[in-house]
Amino acid sequence: MTYILGISAFYHDSAACILKDGEIIAAVQEERFTRIKHDSSYPKNSIDFVLNYSNLTLSEVDYIVFFEKPFLKFERLLETYLAFSPRGFTSFAKAMPVWIKDKLFQKKNLFNKLTQHDKKYNSDKNIFFSSHHLSHAASAFYPSPFNEAIVLTADGVGEWATTTVSIGNKEKLEIKKEIHFPHSLGLLYSAFTFYLGFKVNSGEYKLMGLAPYGKPIYEDKIKKLIDIKEDGTFRLDQTFFNYATGLTMTTNKFHKLFGNKPRNPAKEKITQFHMDIASSIQKVTENIMINLSKSLKNEYKINNLCLAGGVALNCVANGKILKEKIFDNIWVQPAAGDAGGSLGAALALWYIELKNKRFINSNDAMKGSYLGVEFSDSEIEKELKIAGAKFEKFNYEKLINSVTENLLEDKIIGWFQGRMEFGPRALGNRSIIGNPKSEKMQKELNLKIKFRESFRPFAPSILKEDLPDWFDINIDSPYMLFVAEIVKEKKIKMSENQKNLFGLDKLNIKRSEIPAVTHVDYSGRIQTVSRNTNERFYDLILNFKKKTGCPMLINTSFNVRGEPIVCTPTDAFNCFMGTEMDYLVIGNYILNKIEQNKNLLSNYKFKFNLD
Ligand SMILES: [Fe+2]
């Protein structure tokens, strides 16, 4: 047996995973344990978990691989600051001591930290370093169901690369070309995220959710910032941006071009201007991704596309690439951000360095991305008793029936089952679920449960075989990474008066038979659910369909705004008691809010720093 431990850390989203002879055994993000969103610290808890889960001590692990090359990254920072000097001095002075202390000497640093897991671990000879985008590319290609694929990665920045193109063939994966820093699609999107007053590296979803409320009237102005070639490659005019040199993202020249300063979220409401900006940058991003896809397809004549890197989490753009029918098949790594780099680094070592044979799984090799922590009945009971919870145990059938009854009454339910998901999406194991036919549900869920902006959409989890009856695509989307439009028959047309409503006023109009999961442009971010990857979730949705004819549920992640997705039954109970959720279902146990001790109620609204 060969065991490989993959680690990503010290940038965004620290994570760890274990491969056993190339098979993905466990993978988890550190934020879930420390309860600090996007935690980038050394993933001690994650490493402990993946080792425990695999019944291993660290000294029994054959290889340890880190997701990027710290020295190259240091070189990039150094050269950038020299190139932009003296403008770059502020940020350089701030970044430099951290780099010298922690990042440049990563191998020694990593080795020292690793020794805390196991006293017998005494040599750094088995520590390897992948490169940032090779890790992304490997995480996208190797678990995919494809023998051969074009692999496109795009993010903010790794060492130097911001966008790469690779060709994967069986066990081979080779990077063919790269776009380098400071020209970055991820940083362009992040610059606009910053400009709209959202947090960089987490508010990108908000920008994407806001875009359909606006019109892309600033598309031409954005093209002054970025020179897009016909093949989709691009260069950014650095006079508009500050990310290479300063500690903000955009310059005064940028603000002058669009006519406003960056939005101050504490003082300024979102206006039509912000929605139009969001719509415009989303459209530019989609067009770049579509043009890149088209030119790559022409060049390499391969019918499969794999995607990873933070930009691959833009499920609206993914949906557009799909709709253009450029490729026969597209597969996106569910942990497309840097957490997934741990997995890609381990896979790259197994296939590229150790030259092992690859056996392709016709679904994919991610096991539904259910790769994290799980709890037995006795562990659940123990935690719930300590928390002071009142609960009742049900058998499988009764549990499914009882939850369905509650959904029919528009109750909001915390649904905690099996192994936690790897990646930013909850896929039915750490989810909050509700009735998508309810007209009040979107608002209630946003304001009373998630404590977040009312414009943000919710996703449907739909039985895979029913997808074409409701949405205009027919693919497998198990990881909620494609957006598609609701079919015509299920839409409710807006009246002429309603059509003229602006922005957020459109939110209160029922636009389809499933209003709670219908975004303002009739789109939905889809998760297809299959019985072979998530039996319990599938059976619940099937039962709901039998009663209502509607083969889907609302599925949003089990957390409040700013909180990492819940990991343990205790996290779930605390979140349940801190919000207006009606029921909590953990494994075979159901908790009714009305029966809980009122003294344990709390207000979660201000518990976490807003994202
Ligand atoms: Fe990345």
Side-chain angles (χ1 to χ4, degrees), residues 210-219 272-273 275-280 283 499 501-502 506:
L210 195 60
Y213 292 99
K215 291 200 172 71
I217 55 175
Y218 295 102
E219 206 185 337
Q272 193 62 42
F273 168 73
M275 296 174 196
D276 292 339
I277 289 279
S279 170
S280 307
K283 190 162 177 217
K499 269 186 200 162
L501 287 173
F502 273 112
K506 283 184 190 162

Side-chain angles (χ1 to χ4, degrees), residues 84 87 187-188 190-192 194-195 224-225 236-263:
F84 285 91
R87 216 152 57 90
L187 287 172
L188 174 72
S190 293
F192 279 92
F194 165 85
Y195 185 61
K224 291 192 166 70
L225 316 175
L236 300 183
D237 180 343
Q238 288 304 304
T239 59
F240 291 99
F241 301 97
N242 217 5
Y243 54 73
T245 55
L247 296 171
T248 59
M249 298 295 286
T250 51
T251 61
N252 279 333
K253 191 172 168 189
F254 183 110
H255 311 151
K256 256 188 208 151
L257 178 68
F258 295 102
N260 280 302
K261 291 249 165 231
R263 184 178 77 93

Side-chain angles (χ1 to χ4, degrees), residues 11-12 67-68 132-133 136 154-158 161 308-310 336-339 341:
Y11 194 31
H12 314 126
F67 82 129
E68 61 180 15
H132 191 105
H133 274 260
H136 278 317
D155 65 0
V157 61
D338 285 351

Side-chain angles (χ1 to χ4, degrees), residues 13 21 48 61 79 118 129 201 244 246 269 302 304 382 408 422 452 457 476 481 520 535 577 583:
D13 296 319
D21 282 345
D48 280 338
V61 168
E79 283 193 24
D118 182 356
F129 292 84
N201 292 329
K269 284 210 158 127
I302 296 172
N304 303 315
K382 198 175 155 199
L408 291 174
F422 185 50
R452 64 183 201 183
D476 204 8
L481 285 165
V520 68
E535 189 177 322
M577 295 302 282
Y583 290 89

